[in-house]
Amino acid sequence: MRAKPARVAILISGTGSNMDAILRARDGINADFVGVISSKPGVEGLHKAEAHGVPTAVIDASAFAVRRDFDDAVADQLEAWGAELIVLAGFMRILGADFVRRFENRVINVHPSLLPLYRGGTAVEDALADGAKETGCTIHVVVEDVDAGPVIIQRPVPIEAGDTRDTLHRRIQAVEHELYPEAVQRICAGEIHLDSLGDDQPGVTALAGTPSG
Ligand code: GRF
């Protein structure tokens, strides 16, 4: 167990249901949640963060003509908060190579598929269109290539007859809401080391493939 709580920031762009799930679990996580950044003003997730008493900042992506300037503004806010772990939770912007290098092995994301299957923004529809029997969700480290970083934890979700994008995404999200807090908790406890994924980490393999409800 890490003695000192990890300083954790969460980045959102919308509903913030994953952020909410993590903050609801915060009593069991050895972390200080130092702030939430939204790339969009006025989103529901900001109200949820405020209700949890976590500082918020809006860095409106649409106000930046150059992506690099947006990335720098986000990075500067994260550094001002002293963030050690950066949790992307429905953050709808792709962070550039310089940002990723600046925070190497400190940024994690949730994706609604069993990566490396169905990378990209249409993962749920792609699994359906493929006629797959199951899909799932993955917590992974963010690297320069989108949805291509090392897997931290993933869990399958069965696809049911008659599923639509919405019904399937809702079931995937219910699993995300269990998996993401668990991943953050284990990282902050020092059980999972983001810079040595791929080496033998017993906790990681034990979680992979756990059936979902
Ligand atoms: C999640 O389903 C996640 O897989 C995807 O975006 C969604 C965000 O939802 N990356 P929320 O903002 O956490 O409610």
Side-chain angles (χ1 to χ4, degrees), residues 172-184:
I172 293 172
Q173 280 196 311
V175 179
E176 291 176 352
H177 296 162
E178 293 173 10
L179 204 60
Y180 217 177
E182 191 172 321
V184 173

Side-chain angles (χ1 to χ4, degrees), residues 15-18 89-90 110-112 169 173 176:
T15 318
S17 68
N18 278 285
V110 58
H111 183 77
H169 197 198
Q173 280 196 311
E176 291 176 352

Side-chain angles (χ1 to χ4, degrees), residues 7 9 11 22 28-29 33 39 41-42 46 53 64 72 75-76 80 85-86 91 103 120 134 149 165 176 199-200 209:
R7 296 178 68 79
L11 273 53
I22 293 165
I29 303 178
F33 288 91
S39 66
L46 283 167
F64 291 81
D72 286 348
D76 290 348
L85 176 68
I86 296 131
F91 184 68
F103 296 97
E134 69 168 21
R165 185 199 173 279
E176 291 176 352
D199 304 348
D200 273 337

Side-chain angles (χ1 to χ4, degrees), residues 15 20 31 43 45-46 90 101 106 135 140 149 151 153-154 160 168-169 177 179 189 192 200:
T15 318
D20 191 48
V43 296
L46 283 167
R101 269 196 291 272
R106 289 162 57 194
T135 182
H140 66 94
V151 169
I153 305 179
Q154 53 189 184
E160 292 170 5
L168 180 56
H169 197 198
H177 296 162
L179 204 60
I192 295 174
D200 273 337

Side-chain angles (χ1 to χ4, degrees), residues 143-154:
V143 297
E144 202 179 322
D145 282 348
V146 176
D147 302 329
V151 169
I152 302 167
I153 305 179
Q154 53 189 184

Side-chain angles (χ1 to χ4, degrees), residues 181-198:
E182 191 172 321
V184 173
Q185 183 267 319
R186 298 188 66 177
I187 293 164
C188 293
E191 283 177 36
I192 295 174
H193 301 277
L194 300 183
D195 47 9
S196 58
L197 288 173

